[in-house]
Amino acid sequence: MATTLTESTDQLSGEPDLAILEGFATRVALDRAAAYNGVLVYLGDRLGIWRELASGGRFTSSQLAERCGLAERYVREWLSTQAAGGYVEYDAADRTFSLPLEHGLVLADEDNPASGIAGFEVISAVWAAADQLAHAYVTGEGVGWHEHDSRLYSGVDRFFATQYRSSLVQEWIPAVEGLDEQLESGIRVLDVGCGLGSAGILMAEAYPRSTFKGVDYHDESIRRAIAAAEEAGVGDRVEFERDDAKSYDGTFDLICFFDAVHDLGDPVGALTHAREHLAPGGRVFAVEPYAEDALEAGVGSPVALMYYAASSCLCVPNSISQGGEALGAQAGPAKLLAAFRDAGFSHAEVAAQTPYNLLIEARA
């Protein structure tokens, strides 16, 4: 061990640029503070504090604690942290706190495209898996989706559902030529890796003449998806079943993969299975995280940083747990389209892209 430490010290020998050192140390300190506060942002979501603040007005810590049913001393420290971080505004004259409208749209309104609160629930689940991930990094083993803290399932669904509600029917489906019209007239649709079913439910609400089925290997996700479909009143035209990406039956006019292809242990095998279960003239529609083909193109991008971090903790470990190729959330269009070609699709293209997504259409 002493030798290792000595070698490490030798590698860091030389005269550092003090300006660069100070700048980077400051950045790390800010990241560390943000990481600390991330726990509190999550608690604000979990305990309903953000939603109460977003109702309007100014609150003392006592007033807010009473309205949320929480202990005042904790709420006072929580509010002080958020004021220090610029999340809430503080009026020293009357010692009250308020949430600006714009901040409320990000922290307390999941129907707004700018909402970012769900990601903190995902991060809480990732921290809960830190020991599992450390073991995986040492051994090379995987960490399956089902092995994570349950907050991962609800957090990921909330995170993506915000995007789906604002974009799926309004922008993404119309971006694929003729798809909106097909769904309007009535087709059979499959969602592979459906999770808690938000995408299928949204499409069922928008296209009552079409029927929808979702499959996922995770029992708890399927249970929650079935309950969500009933609550949304679309249980008559959307069904969910436990199945994996290479074993479902049936023939479909449209097979969808929503943020799922890069997570799969065998993406080519899953896409091959999808091709084999398309009706004549059918197609695959896949939504993937936005990515560039080369790492250097994403360096410095906050979007790439977010997706690489999520991939390092979730996507790659899950794929490896299935003995997979581990495409990862930043696979990029070249690798993704190659997977479709290897699966036997004669046509595969990026139909559209957004700052956060790639939309892929493929036909047999």
Side-chain angles (χ1 to χ4, degrees):
M1 182 65 70
T3 302
T4 302
L5 290 173
T6 301
E7 291 173 351
S8 177
T9 302
D10 289 344
Q11 291 170 5
L12 295 176
S13 63
E15 290 297 325
D17 183 313
L18 295 182
I20 294 175
L21 175 60
E22 182 179 0
F24 185 67
T26 300
R27 173 185 170 179
V28 170
L30 291 172
D31 286 349
R32 186 169 63 245
Y36 264 121
N37 194 43
V39 177
L40 299 177
V41 175
Y42 163 68
L43 289 177
D45 174 51
R46 176 171 173 173
L47 299 174
I49 307 175
W50 295 121
R51 291 185 292 278
E52 197 61 50
L53 281 167
S55 66
R58 306 192 67 87
F59 302 91
T60 64
S61 58
S62 296
Q63 291 169 336
L64 187 60
E66 182 177 359
R67 292 183 65 160
C68 294
L70 301 172
E72 185 277 334
R73 184 63 187 90
Y74 282 100
V75 172
R76 192 192 329 160
E77 204 73 3
W78 185 92
L79 282 167
S80 298
T81 306
Q82 303 318 312
Y87 275 46
V88 303
E89 293 181 345
Y90 175 60
D91 188 332
D94 57 8
R95 298 184 179 181
T96 58
F97 301 83
S98 62
L99 186 68
L101 169 64
E102 296 80 5
H103 296 199
L105 294 175
V106 175
L107 297 169
D109 182 4
E110 292 184 64
D111 288 328
N112 191 286
S115 176
I117 191 63
F120 289 92
E121 185 174 9
V122 177
I123 293 167
S124 72
V126 170
W127 271 112
D131 289 343
Q132 294 167 275
L133 289 169
H135 177 79
Y137 271 58
V138 171
T139 63
E141 298 173 3
V143 181
W145 191 260
H146 61 285
E147 298 178 89
H148 281 275
D149 184 276
S150 63
R151 286 170 292 187
L152 179 63
Y153 320 134
S154 53
V156 165
D157 181 73
R158 291 173 63 196
F159 177 83
F160 285 119
T162 295
Q163 297 181 32
Y164 299 159
R165 280 193 295 270
S166 63
S167 301
L168 176 56
V169 173
Q170 301 90 326
E171 299 174 14
W172 296 350
I173 288 174
V176 179
E177 184 179 359
L179 184 54
D180 184 67
E181 292 78 5
Q182 283 184 299
L183 287 162
E184 286 281 7
S185 64
I187 57 174
R188 176 76 168 149
V189 182
L190 176 70
D191 179 5
V192 180
C194 64
L196 274 61
S198 289
I201 291 170
L202 284 168
M203 289 191 292
E205 291 174 330
Y207 301 106
R209 291 191 180 91
S210 292
T211 58
F212 302 85
K213 180 177 182 178
V215 295
D216 199 293
Y217 89 97
H218 185 235
D219 286 312
E220 178 61 14
S221 292
I222 290 298
R223 186 191 68 78
R224 295 192 199 186
I226 292 171
E230 291 299 326
E231 184 177 352
V234 294
D236 60 327
R237 56 185 182 275
V238 57
E239 60 178 321
F240 297 100
E241 290 183 1
R242 186 190 182 283
D243 225 331
D244 65 41
K246 297 193 294 183
S247 63
Y248 56 82
D249 294 319
T251 301
F252 304 91
D253 303 293
L254 177 68
I255 297 180
C256 301
F257 293 82
F258 291 104
D259 293 286
V261 171
H262 67 272
D263 286 311
L264 298 171
D266 180 10
V268 173
L271 293 172
T272 300
H273 191 76
R275 179 178 57 77
E276 293 170 346
H277 288 265
L278 284 174
R283 55 181 144 183
V284 167
F285 177 56
V287 176
E288 282 288 299
Y290 179 83
E292 300 284 354
D293 288 321
L295 170 59
E296 57 268 25
V299 171
S301 163
V303 175
L305 172 60
M306 175 183 67
Y307 283 143
Y308 267 121
S311 189
S312 299
C313 297
L314 302 171
C315 311
V316 167
N318 181 70
S319 180
I320 290 175
S321 76
Q322 300 173 6
E325 301 174 14
L327 285 176
Q330 289 292 278
K335 288 183 180 177
L336 290 167
L337 294 177
F340 279 89
R341 289 193 297 271
D342 291 345
F345 286 91
S346 60
H347 168 86
E349 67 174 1
V350 175
Q353 65 183 50
T354 76
Y356 293 96
N357 301 99
L358 296 171
L359 312 181
I360 298 174
E361 181 211 7
R363 306 188 190 198

